[in-house]
Amino acid sequence: RFEDGTVSFLDIIALKHGFDALEKLTGGMEKIKQHTFALAHYTYTVLSTLKYANGAPVVRIYSDTDFSNPDVQGPIINFNMLDENGEVIGFSQVDKMASLYNIHVRTGCFCNTGACQMHLDISNEDMRKNLQAGHVCGDDIDLVDGRPTGSVRISFGYMSSFEDAQTFLKFIITTRLSKSGTAIPFQSSVKELTTESVPDDHPSFNNADKLSPLPHISDRELRNNSSATKTTGNWQPTETEVESIRAAVSDIAVPTCRRGGKPITVTNIYLYPIKSCSAFEVAEWPVGNQGLLYDRNWMVVNQNGVCMTQKQEPRLCLVNPSVDLTKKVMIIQAEGMDPISVSLEENTGKETVICESKVCTHRAKTFDCGDRIAAWFSMFLGHPCRLTRQSSDMKNRSHQKNTKGPTPATNISLSLVNEAQYLLINIASILHLKEHVSARLEEPLETEELIQRFRANIVISAPESFEEEEWAEISIGALRFQVVGPCSRCQIICIDQQSGERNKEFLQSLSAARGRKTNFGIYLMNQPLHSSFPDTLSVGSQVLPVLKENTEIQPPASSEE
Protein backbone atom coordinates (compact mmCIF):
# COMPACT_ATOMS: atom_id res chain seq x y z
CA ARG A 1 0.00 0.00 0.00
CA PHE A 2 2.87 2.37 0.72
CA GLU A 3 4.83 1.40 -2.40
CA ASP A 4 5.59 4.34 -4.68
CA GLY A 5 5.97 2.92 -8.17
CA THR A 6 7.13 -0.56 -9.12
CA VAL A 7 7.43 -3.15 -6.37
CA SER A 8 11.11 -3.84 -5.55
CA PHE A 9 10.99 -7.30 -7.11
CA LEU A 10 14.78 -7.67 -7.47
CA ASP A 11 15.27 -7.16 -3.73
CA ILE A 12 12.48 -9.63 -3.00
CA ILE A 13 14.14 -12.23 -5.23
CA ALA A 14 17.48 -11.55 -3.52
CA LEU A 15 16.09 -12.39 -0.08
CA LYS A 16 16.20 -16.17 -0.60
CA HIS A 17 19.78 -16.03 -1.88
CA GLY A 18 20.75 -13.88 1.09
CA PHE A 19 19.27 -16.30 3.61
CA ASP A 20 20.89 -19.24 1.80
CA ALA A 21 24.29 -17.55 2.01
CA LEU A 22 23.75 -16.78 5.70
CA GLU A 23 22.84 -20.42 6.36
CA LYS A 24 25.96 -21.62 4.56
CA LEU A 25 28.28 -19.23 6.39
CA THR A 26 26.88 -19.48 9.90
CA GLY A 27 24.60 -22.48 10.23
CA GLY A 28 21.49 -20.34 10.50
CA MET A 29 19.82 -17.82 12.72
CA GLU A 30 19.62 -20.10 15.75
CA LYS A 31 23.40 -20.41 15.91
CA ILE A 32 23.78 -16.67 15.30
CA LYS A 33 21.40 -16.00 18.20
CA GLN A 34 23.40 -18.21 20.54
CA HIS A 35 26.75 -16.76 19.48
CA THR A 36 25.78 -13.10 19.67
CA PHE A 37 23.86 -13.52 22.92
CA ALA A 38 26.88 -15.16 24.58
CA LEU A 39 28.98 -12.12 23.66
CA ALA A 40 26.32 -9.67 24.86
CA HIS A 41 25.77 -11.58 28.12
CA TYR A 42 29.50 -11.65 28.86
CA THR A 43 29.92 -7.93 28.12
CA TYR A 44 26.79 -7.05 30.12
CA THR A 45 28.01 -8.99 33.15
CA VAL A 46 31.46 -7.39 33.17
CA LEU A 47 30.06 -3.89 32.55
CA SER A 48 27.59 -4.32 35.40
CA THR A 49 30.36 -4.97 37.91
CA LEU A 50 32.83 -2.24 36.91
CA LYS A 51 33.16 0.32 39.71
CA TYR A 52 35.28 3.32 40.60
CA ALA A 53 37.50 3.29 43.69
CA ASN A 54 34.68 4.92 45.67
CA GLY A 55 32.29 2.11 44.75
CA ALA A 56 30.30 4.11 42.20
CA PRO A 57 29.31 2.24 39.01
CA VAL A 58 31.09 3.11 35.77
CA VAL A 59 28.02 2.64 33.58
CA ARG A 60 24.26 2.70 33.89
CA ILE A 61 22.69 -0.01 31.72
CA TYR A 62 19.17 0.37 30.35
CA SER A 63 17.45 -2.98 29.83
CA ASP A 64 14.08 -4.66 30.31
CA THR A 65 15.75 -8.03 31.00
CA ASP A 66 18.62 -9.45 33.02
CA PHE A 67 20.33 -10.91 29.92
CA SER A 68 19.47 -14.48 30.94
CA ASN A 69 17.47 -15.62 27.90
CA PRO A 70 18.30 -15.03 24.21
CA ASP A 71 14.63 -15.57 23.31
CA VAL A 72 13.70 -12.24 24.91
CA GLN A 73 16.99 -10.31 24.83
CA GLY A 74 18.85 -9.36 21.66
CA PRO A 75 22.62 -8.90 21.33
CA ILE A 76 22.64 -5.17 22.13
CA ILE A 77 23.64 -3.25 25.26
CA ASN A 78 22.27 0.23 25.86
CA PHE A 79 24.00 2.32 28.50
CA ASN A 80 25.36 5.69 29.62
CA MET A 81 28.83 6.17 31.04
CA LEU A 82 29.06 7.80 34.47
CA ASP A 83 31.77 9.69 36.30
CA GLU A 84 32.79 8.83 39.85
CA ASN A 85 30.15 11.20 41.21
CA GLY A 86 27.37 9.36 39.40
CA GLU A 87 26.87 12.10 36.80
CA VAL A 88 26.22 11.04 33.20
CA ILE A 89 28.97 11.64 30.66
CA GLY A 90 27.39 12.86 27.42
CA PHE A 91 27.03 10.30 24.65
CA SER A 92 28.73 12.55 22.11
CA GLN A 93 31.93 12.54 24.18
CA VAL A 94 31.77 8.75 24.55
CA ASP A 95 31.31 8.46 20.79
CA LYS A 96 34.37 10.62 20.08
CA MET A 97 36.53 8.72 22.54
CA ALA A 98 35.37 5.36 21.16
CA SER A 99 36.35 6.44 17.64
CA LEU A 100 39.95 6.84 18.84
CA TYR A 101 39.93 3.10 19.61
CA ASN A 102 38.31 2.22 16.25
CA ILE A 103 35.06 1.31 18.00
CA HIS A 104 31.79 2.29 16.33
CA VAL A 105 28.85 2.95 18.63
CA ARG A 106 25.39 4.31 18.01
CA THR A 107 24.19 7.22 20.14
CA GLY A 108 21.05 9.25 20.79
CA CYS A 109 17.49 7.91 21.14
CA PHE A 110 17.76 5.34 18.30
CA CYS A 111 14.50 6.46 16.68
CA ASN A 112 12.66 5.23 19.80
CA THR A 113 11.53 8.28 21.73
CA GLY A 114 9.18 6.29 23.96
CA ALA A 115 11.90 3.96 25.26
CA CYS A 116 14.20 6.96 25.65
CA GLN A 117 11.62 8.74 27.82
CA MET A 118 10.94 5.63 29.90
CA HIS A 119 14.53 4.61 30.66
CA LEU A 120 15.93 8.14 31.03
CA ASP A 121 12.89 9.34 32.99
CA ILE A 122 12.18 12.16 30.53
CA SER A 123 8.71 13.65 30.86
CA ASN A 124 6.74 15.26 28.06
CA GLU A 125 7.55 18.63 29.59
CA ASP A 126 11.26 17.72 29.59
CA MET A 127 10.99 16.83 25.90
CA ARG A 128 9.55 20.27 25.16
CA LYS A 129 12.31 21.96 27.17
CA ASN A 130 14.98 19.99 25.33
CA LEU A 131 13.52 21.07 21.99
CA GLN A 132 13.42 24.67 23.17
CA ALA A 133 17.08 24.35 24.16
CA GLY A 134 17.84 23.53 20.51
CA HIS A 135 18.08 19.73 20.79
CA VAL A 136 17.04 17.85 17.66
CA CYS A 137 17.48 14.26 16.58
CA GLY A 138 21.05 13.50 15.51
CA ASP A 139 22.77 16.49 17.13
CA ASP A 140 25.51 16.58 19.79
CA ILE A 141 23.36 18.07 22.57
CA ASP A 142 23.69 15.08 24.86
CA LEU A 143 23.06 16.81 28.18
CA VAL A 144 20.49 19.47 29.08
CA ASP A 145 20.74 20.80 32.63
CA GLY A 146 23.01 17.86 33.43
CA ARG A 147 20.44 15.26 32.36
CA PRO A 148 21.01 12.95 29.36
CA THR A 149 18.97 13.33 26.18
CA GLY A 150 20.02 9.90 24.91
CA SER A 151 22.44 7.04 25.48
CA VAL A 152 25.09 4.80 23.91
CA ARG A 153 24.43 1.44 22.24
CA ILE A 154 26.74 -1.38 21.19
CA SER A 155 25.63 -4.30 19.02
CA PHE A 156 27.06 -7.73 18.27
CA GLY A 157 26.66 -9.59 14.96
CA TYR A 158 27.54 -13.02 13.64
CA MET A 159 31.02 -11.79 12.70
CA SER A 160 31.72 -10.38 16.19
CA SER A 161 34.30 -12.19 18.33
CA PHE A 162 35.29 -12.55 21.96
CA GLU A 163 38.27 -10.29 21.20
CA ASP A 164 35.85 -7.58 20.02
CA ALA A 165 34.08 -7.69 23.38
CA GLN A 166 37.43 -7.50 25.17
CA THR A 167 38.50 -4.53 23.06
CA PHE A 168 35.34 -2.64 23.98
CA LEU A 169 35.73 -3.42 27.69
CA LYS A 170 39.39 -2.41 27.57
CA PHE A 171 38.30 0.94 26.09
CA ILE A 172 35.97 1.50 29.06
CA ILE A 173 38.71 0.58 31.55
CA THR A 174 41.40 2.65 29.87
CA THR A 175 39.35 5.83 29.67
CA ARG A 176 37.48 5.68 32.99
CA LEU A 177 39.40 3.74 35.65
CA SER A 178 42.74 4.21 37.35
CA LYS A 179 45.47 1.60 37.43
CA SER A 180 45.34 0.91 41.14
CA GLY A 181 42.49 -0.20 43.31
CA THR A 182 40.28 -1.35 40.46
CA ALA A 183 38.72 -4.78 40.80
CA ILE A 184 37.78 -6.22 37.42
CA PRO A 185 35.43 -9.24 37.49
CA PHE A 186 37.18 -10.97 34.66
CA GLN A 187 39.50 -13.75 35.72
CA SER A 188 37.01 -16.07 37.38
CA SER A 189 34.07 -15.30 35.18
CA VAL A 190 35.29 -15.84 31.63
CA LYS A 191 34.87 -19.62 31.52
CA GLU A 192 31.56 -19.53 33.36
CA LEU A 193 30.14 -16.84 31.10
CA THR A 194 31.24 -18.39 27.84
CA THR A 195 29.88 -21.84 28.68
CA GLU A 196 26.73 -21.01 30.62
CA SER A 197 25.45 -17.86 28.92
CA VAL A 198 23.27 -19.96 26.55
CA PRO A 199 20.54 -22.03 28.28
CA ASP A 200 20.93 -25.81 28.26
CA ASP A 201 17.93 -26.35 26.01
CA HIS A 202 19.62 -24.50 23.15
CA PRO A 203 21.96 -26.52 20.88
CA SER A 204 25.60 -25.56 21.15
CA PHE A 205 28.02 -24.65 18.39
CA ASN A 206 29.55 -28.02 17.62
CA ASN A 207 30.01 -28.01 13.86
CA ALA A 208 33.48 -27.05 12.72
CA ASP A 209 32.29 -25.51 9.46
CA LYS A 210 29.65 -23.40 11.21
CA LEU A 211 30.11 -20.68 13.79
CA SER A 212 32.84 -21.46 16.31
CA PRO A 213 31.93 -21.50 20.02
CA LEU A 214 33.41 -18.98 22.40
CA PRO A 215 36.67 -20.54 23.63
CA HIS A 216 37.15 -21.88 27.15
CA ILE A 217 39.90 -19.53 28.25
CA SER A 218 41.79 -20.24 31.45
CA ASP A 219 43.49 -17.58 33.54
CA ARG A 220 46.92 -18.68 32.34
CA GLU A 221 45.90 -18.79 28.70
CA LEU A 222 44.40 -15.35 28.98
CA ARG A 223 47.58 -13.86 30.40
CA ASN A 224 49.66 -15.47 27.65
CA ASN A 225 47.31 -14.72 24.76
CA SER A 226 48.43 -11.61 22.91
CA SER A 227 45.30 -11.66 20.75
CA ALA A 228 43.21 -11.05 23.85
CA THR A 229 44.49 -7.46 23.93
CA LYS A 230 47.17 -8.39 26.52
CA THR A 231 44.64 -8.49 29.35
CA THR A 232 45.89 -9.69 32.75
CA GLY A 233 44.01 -10.97 35.78
CA ASN A 234 43.78 -7.40 37.10
CA TRP A 235 43.05 -6.13 33.59
CA GLN A 236 45.67 -3.39 33.76
CA PRO A 237 45.51 -1.22 30.63
CA THR A 238 48.76 -0.57 28.83
CA GLU A 239 48.00 3.10 28.22
CA THR A 240 47.69 6.00 30.64
CA GLU A 241 44.14 6.21 31.93
CA VAL A 242 42.01 9.28 31.69
CA GLU A 243 41.42 10.88 35.05
CA SER A 244 37.86 11.92 35.76
CA ILE A 245 37.95 15.61 36.60
CA ARG A 246 34.58 17.21 36.85
CA ALA A 247 34.37 20.99 37.09
CA ALA A 248 31.86 22.39 39.53
CA VAL A 249 28.95 24.23 38.00
CA SER A 250 27.49 27.21 39.82
CA ASP A 251 24.83 29.71 38.98
CA ILE A 252 26.63 33.04 38.84
CA ALA A 253 25.11 36.24 37.59
CA VAL A 254 27.73 38.11 35.58
CA PRO A 255 27.66 41.73 34.49
CA THR A 256 26.86 42.71 30.93
CA CYS A 257 30.36 44.05 30.23
CA ARG A 258 33.63 42.40 31.09
CA ARG A 259 35.36 43.58 34.23
CA GLY A 260 38.36 45.80 33.82
CA GLY A 261 41.81 44.28 33.63
CA LYS A 262 44.50 43.41 31.15
CA PRO A 263 43.42 44.21 27.57
CA ILE A 264 42.53 41.30 25.31
CA THR A 265 44.15 41.38 21.87
CA VAL A 266 44.24 39.30 18.70
CA THR A 267 47.57 37.44 18.48
CA ASN A 268 47.08 35.29 15.37
CA ILE A 269 44.78 35.07 12.37
CA TYR A 270 44.49 31.90 10.28
CA LEU A 271 42.42 30.98 7.27
CA TYR A 272 42.08 27.57 5.69
CA PRO A 273 41.42 28.12 1.97
CA ILE A 274 41.07 24.36 1.37
CA LYS A 275 38.93 22.54 3.92
CA SER A 276 41.02 20.24 6.15
CA CYS A 277 44.31 21.40 4.63
CA SER A 278 47.02 23.44 6.34
CA ALA A 279 46.47 26.92 7.77
CA PHE A 280 47.52 30.14 6.06
CA GLU A 281 48.60 32.68 8.69
CA VAL A 282 48.15 36.40 8.01
CA ALA A 283 48.69 39.65 9.91
CA GLU A 284 45.51 41.22 8.55
CA TRP A 285 42.82 39.98 6.23
CA PRO A 286 39.59 41.20 4.65
CA VAL A 287 36.29 39.89 5.97
CA GLY A 288 33.68 38.66 3.50
CA ASN A 289 30.02 37.81 3.92
CA GLN A 290 30.90 34.20 4.84
CA GLY A 291 33.82 34.88 7.18
CA LEU A 292 37.46 35.53 6.35
CA LEU A 293 37.76 36.02 2.62
CA TYR A 294 38.44 32.69 0.85
CA ASP A 295 38.32 30.72 4.12
CA ARG A 296 37.24 27.14 3.30
CA ASN A 297 36.09 28.03 -0.20
CA TRP A 298 37.64 24.84 -1.64
CA MET A 299 37.52 21.19 -0.62
CA VAL A 300 39.03 17.91 -1.78
CA VAL A 301 36.49 15.25 -2.75
CA ASN A 302 36.78 11.55 -3.54
CA GLN A 303 35.54 9.74 -6.64
CA ASN A 304 31.99 9.81 -5.29
CA GLY A 305 32.06 13.59 -4.81
CA VAL A 306 32.16 13.30 -0.99
CA CYS A 307 34.34 15.75 0.92
CA MET A 308 37.56 14.32 2.35
CA THR A 309 38.75 15.49 5.77
CA GLN A 310 41.70 14.68 7.99
CA LYS A 311 39.60 12.02 9.71
CA GLN A 312 39.86 9.91 6.56
CA GLU A 313 43.05 11.39 5.10
CA PRO A 314 45.45 12.87 7.70
CA ARG A 315 47.96 13.82 4.97
CA LEU A 316 45.68 16.68 3.96
CA CYS A 317 47.32 18.71 6.73
CA LEU A 318 50.58 18.54 4.74
CA VAL A 319 49.03 20.47 1.84
CA ASN A 320 49.91 24.16 2.26
CA PRO A 321 47.68 26.66 0.42
CA SER A 322 48.42 30.39 0.40
CA VAL A 323 46.42 33.22 -1.15
CA ASP A 324 47.95 36.12 -3.08
CA LEU A 325 45.30 38.84 -3.25
CA THR A 326 47.41 41.00 -5.57
CA LYS A 327 47.97 38.30 -8.18
CA LYS A 328 44.52 36.81 -7.50
CA VAL A 329 45.82 33.25 -7.20
CA MET A 330 45.99 30.52 -4.58
CA ILE A 331 49.35 28.70 -4.49
CA ILE A 332 49.26 25.06 -3.31
CA GLN A 333 52.46 23.45 -2.07
CA ALA A 334 53.45 20.12 -0.52
CA GLU A 335 56.75 18.37 0.13
CA GLY A 336 57.98 16.49 -2.92
CA MET A 337 55.52 18.25 -5.23
CA ASP A 338 55.90 21.19 -7.59
CA PRO A 339 53.80 24.19 -6.52
CA ILE A 340 50.57 24.63 -8.43
CA SER A 341 48.29 27.66 -8.66
CA VAL A 342 44.52 28.11 -8.78
CA SER A 343 42.87 31.31 -9.91
CA LEU A 344 40.76 33.20 -7.39
CA GLU A 345 38.42 34.17 -10.19
CA GLU A 346 35.37 31.94 -10.12
CA ASN A 347 35.36 29.28 -12.80
CA THR A 348 32.42 29.22 -15.16
CA GLY A 349 32.89 25.58 -16.04
CA LYS A 350 30.58 22.67 -15.41
CA GLU A 351 29.01 22.60 -11.96
CA THR A 352 28.45 19.42 -10.02
CA VAL A 353 26.33 18.75 -6.96
CA ILE A 354 28.00 16.80 -4.17
CA CYS A 355 26.94 15.65 -0.73
CA GLU A 356 29.17 16.46 2.25
CA SER A 357 27.71 15.11 5.44
CA LYS A 358 29.73 17.25 7.83
CA VAL A 359 28.60 20.58 6.38
CA CYS A 360 25.44 20.58 8.44
CA THR A 361 24.25 17.63 6.26
CA HIS A 362 23.58 20.11 3.44
CA ARG A 363 24.30 19.50 -0.21
CA ALA A 364 27.07 21.83 -1.30
CA LYS A 365 26.88 23.24 -4.83
CA THR A 366 30.42 23.39 -6.20
CA PHE A 367 32.35 23.43 -9.44
CA ASP A 368 35.38 21.34 -10.36
CA CYS A 369 38.82 22.99 -10.53
CA GLY A 370 40.02 20.86 -13.45
CA ASP A 371 42.06 17.79 -14.29
CA ARG A 372 45.44 19.45 -13.72
CA ILE A 373 44.67 20.16 -10.04
CA ALA A 374 42.98 16.78 -9.65
CA ALA A 375 46.12 15.00 -10.92
CA TRP A 376 48.26 16.97 -8.41
CA PHE A 377 46.14 15.99 -5.42
CA SER A 378 45.73 12.39 -6.62
CA MET A 379 49.48 11.99 -6.93
CA PHE A 380 50.21 13.47 -3.50
CA LEU A 381 47.50 11.56 -1.62
CA GLY A 382 47.97 8.35 -3.56
CA HIS A 383 44.37 7.82 -4.71
CA PRO A 384 41.94 9.52 -7.10
CA CYS A 385 40.47 12.79 -5.83
CA ARG A 386 39.56 16.24 -7.10
CA LEU A 387 39.54 19.83 -5.90
CA THR A 388 36.20 21.62 -5.97
CA ARG A 389 35.18 25.15 -5.08
CA GLN A 390 31.99 26.44 -3.52
CA SER A 391 29.71 28.11 -6.04
CA SER A 392 29.05 31.81 -5.46
CA ASP A 393 25.27 31.30 -5.66
CA MET A 394 25.31 29.13 -2.55
CA LYS A 395 24.04 31.95 -0.36
CA ASN A 396 21.16 29.97 1.02
CA ARG A 397 23.30 27.73 3.23
CA SER A 398 22.96 29.25 6.69
CA HIS A 399 23.37 28.43 10.33
CA GLN A 400 20.47 26.43 11.73
CA LYS A 401 21.09 26.43 15.47
CA ASN A 402 18.94 28.34 17.93
CA THR A 403 20.92 31.42 18.91
CA LYS A 404 20.27 34.68 20.64
CA GLY A 405 21.46 38.10 19.69
CA PRO A 406 20.59 41.23 17.79
CA THR A 407 21.19 39.51 14.46
CA PRO A 408 19.78 35.99 14.09
CA ALA A 409 22.49 33.61 12.94
CA THR A 410 20.05 31.96 10.57
CA ASN A 411 20.33 34.99 8.29
CA ILE A 412 24.07 34.59 7.81
CA SER A 413 25.71 32.68 4.95
CA LEU A 414 28.33 29.97 5.48
CA SER A 415 31.22 28.69 3.42
CA LEU A 416 32.24 25.00 3.59
CA VAL A 417 32.70 25.17 7.36
CA ASN A 418 31.05 22.68 9.70
CA GLU A 419 29.35 25.01 12.14
CA ALA A 420 30.02 28.74 11.94
CA GLN A 421 31.95 31.45 10.12
CA TYR A 422 34.75 31.77 12.69
CA LEU A 423 36.40 29.71 15.42
CA LEU A 424 38.15 31.54 18.27
CA ILE A 425 40.54 30.12 20.87
CA ASN A 426 42.32 31.69 23.83
CA ILE A 427 46.06 31.26 24.49
CA ALA A 428 45.39 31.12 28.25
CA SER A 429 43.13 28.11 27.64
CA ILE A 430 45.83 26.56 25.45
CA LEU A 431 48.40 26.94 28.23
CA HIS A 432 46.00 25.39 30.74
CA LEU A 433 45.50 22.36 28.50
CA LYS A 434 49.22 22.20 27.72
CA GLU A 435 49.95 21.31 31.34
CA HIS A 436 47.58 18.34 31.19
CA VAL A 437 48.87 17.06 27.84
CA SER A 438 52.55 17.46 28.77
CA ALA A 439 51.99 15.57 32.01
CA ARG A 440 50.33 12.68 30.16
CA LEU A 441 52.92 12.56 27.39
CA GLU A 442 55.77 13.05 29.88
CA GLU A 443 57.55 15.26 27.38
CA PRO A 444 57.60 18.99 26.60
CA LEU A 445 55.00 20.32 24.20
CA GLU A 446 55.22 23.47 22.10
CA THR A 447 52.37 25.97 22.48
CA GLU A 448 52.40 26.59 18.74
CA GLU A 449 51.78 22.90 18.07
CA LEU A 450 48.67 22.93 20.26
CA ILE A 451 47.38 26.09 18.57
CA GLN A 452 47.74 24.44 15.17
CA ARG A 453 45.88 21.31 16.31
CA PHE A 454 42.79 23.35 17.21
CA ARG A 455 42.61 24.97 13.74
CA ALA A 456 41.14 28.30 14.85
CA ASN A 457 40.61 31.41 12.75
CA ILE A 458 41.21 33.89 15.57
CA VAL A 459 43.64 33.42 18.45
CA ILE A 460 43.42 35.87 21.35
CA SER A 461 45.33 36.51 24.57
CA ALA A 462 42.85 36.81 27.43
CA PRO A 463 44.03 36.80 31.07
CA GLU A 464 41.92 33.86 32.24
CA SER A 465 41.65 30.39 30.73
CA PHE A 466 38.21 29.54 29.31
CA GLU A 467 36.79 32.97 30.09
CA GLU A 468 35.80 33.14 26.42
CA GLU A 469 33.03 30.66 27.21
CA GLU A 470 31.33 33.37 29.28
CA TRP A 471 31.00 35.74 26.35
CA ALA A 472 27.82 36.47 24.42
CA GLU A 473 29.30 38.93 21.90
CA ILE A 474 32.67 40.45 21.08
CA SER A 475 33.91 43.46 19.12
CA ILE A 476 37.24 43.49 17.31
CA GLY A 477 37.99 46.90 15.86
CA ALA A 478 34.97 47.89 13.82
CA LEU A 479 33.69 44.31 13.59
CA ARG A 480 31.07 42.78 15.89
CA PHE A 481 30.63 39.05 16.38
CA GLN A 482 27.90 36.99 17.98
CA VAL A 483 29.00 33.94 19.98
CA VAL A 484 27.12 30.94 18.59
CA GLY A 485 28.34 28.42 21.16
CA PRO A 486 31.26 26.18 22.20
CA CYS A 487 33.19 24.00 19.78
CA SER A 488 32.87 20.32 20.68
CA ARG A 489 36.12 18.71 19.58
CA CYS A 490 36.65 15.51 17.63
CA GLN A 491 39.62 13.28 16.78
CA ILE A 492 41.18 15.83 14.39
CA ILE A 493 42.96 17.49 17.35
CA CYS A 494 44.84 14.18 17.72
CA ILE A 495 46.57 14.80 14.38
CA ASP A 496 49.93 16.58 14.38
CA GLN A 497 49.44 19.31 11.78
CA GLN A 498 53.13 19.21 10.85
CA SER A 499 53.54 15.46 10.34
CA GLY A 500 50.03 14.02 9.96
CA GLU A 501 50.67 11.53 12.78
CA ARG A 502 47.89 10.64 15.23
CA ASN A 503 48.12 10.60 19.02
CA LYS A 504 44.87 9.92 20.88
CA GLU A 505 46.28 11.35 24.11
CA PHE A 506 45.25 14.85 23.03
CA LEU A 507 41.51 14.20 22.96
CA GLN A 508 41.76 12.13 26.15
CA SER A 509 43.68 14.94 27.87
CA LEU A 510 41.07 17.47 26.78
CA SER A 511 38.33 15.24 28.14
CA ALA A 512 40.17 14.88 31.46
CA ALA A 513 40.89 18.61 31.72
CA ARG A 514 37.36 19.73 30.88
CA GLY A 515 35.37 17.20 32.88
CA ARG A 516 32.54 15.53 30.98
CA LYS A 517 32.83 17.48 27.71
CA THR A 518 35.42 18.00 24.98
CA ASN A 519 34.65 21.67 24.33
CA PHE A 520 37.48 23.98 23.35
CA GLY A 521 37.06 27.36 21.66
CA ILE A 522 33.92 29.23 20.63
CA TYR A 523 32.10 29.69 17.34
CA LEU A 524 31.43 33.21 16.08
CA MET A 525 29.15 34.77 13.48
CA ASN A 526 29.87 38.21 12.04
CA GLN A 527 27.11 40.73 12.64
CA PRO A 528 27.01 43.06 9.60
CA LEU A 529 27.95 46.66 10.34
CA HIS A 530 26.62 49.82 8.80
CA SER A 531 29.96 51.53 9.01
CA SER A 532 32.40 53.42 6.82
CA PHE A 533 35.33 51.44 8.26
CA PRO A 534 36.82 48.72 6.04
CA ASP A 535 35.90 45.20 7.10
CA THR A 536 39.41 43.99 7.95
CA LEU A 537 40.59 41.80 10.81
CA SER A 538 44.09 42.62 12.12
CA VAL A 539 46.58 41.14 14.57
CA GLY A 540 47.00 43.42 17.57
CA SER A 541 43.40 44.64 17.52
CA GLN A 542 41.72 44.92 20.88
CA VAL A 543 38.94 42.48 21.73
CA LEU A 544 35.97 43.83 23.70
CA PRO A 545 33.68 41.06 24.96
CA VAL A 546 30.16 41.31 26.32
CA LEU A 547 29.39 38.68 28.93
CA LYS A 548 26.37 36.45 29.13
CA GLU A 549 23.76 37.33 31.70
CA ASN A 550 22.73 34.80 34.36
CA THR A 551 24.76 32.07 32.75
CA GLU A 552 26.09 28.81 34.09
CA ILE A 553 29.87 29.04 34.27
CA GLN A 554 31.98 25.91 34.26
CA PRO A 555 35.44 26.87 35.56
CA PRO A 556 38.46 24.74 34.70
CA ALA A 557 39.42 22.08 37.21
CA SER A 558 42.15 23.01 39.66
CA SER A 559 45.41 21.10 39.95
CA GLU A 560 44.21 19.63 43.25
CA GLU A 561 41.19 18.09 41.54
Side-chain angles (χ1 to χ4, degrees), residues 35 38-39 162 194-195 204-208 210-216:
H35 174 72
L39 293 176
F162 180 66
T194 56
T195 58
S204 61
F205 303 149
N206 54 15
N207 193 333
K210 310 296 184 183
L211 281 177
S212 300
L214 288 174
H216 294 183

Side-chain angles (χ1 to χ4, degrees), residues 131-187:
L131 290 172
Q132 291 170 356
H135 173 54
V136 296
C137 182
D139 66 14
D140 286 337
I141 301 179
D142 46 21
L143 298 173
V144 176
D145 296 331
R147 298 181 60 189
T149 62
S151 58
V152 182
R153 191 176 82 184
I154 60 171
S155 308
F156 294 100
Y158 77 83
M159 71 296 294
S160 299
S161 66
F162 180 66
E163 286 75 21
D164 293 333
Q166 284 186 308
T167 298
F168 169 74
L169 292 167
K170 179 176 180 290
F171 154 68
I172 300 291
I173 301 299
T174 302
T175 56
R176 296 315 306 167
L177 297 176
S178 60
K179 285 185 178 180
S180 60
T182 303
I184 306 302
F186 184 77
Q187 204 171 8

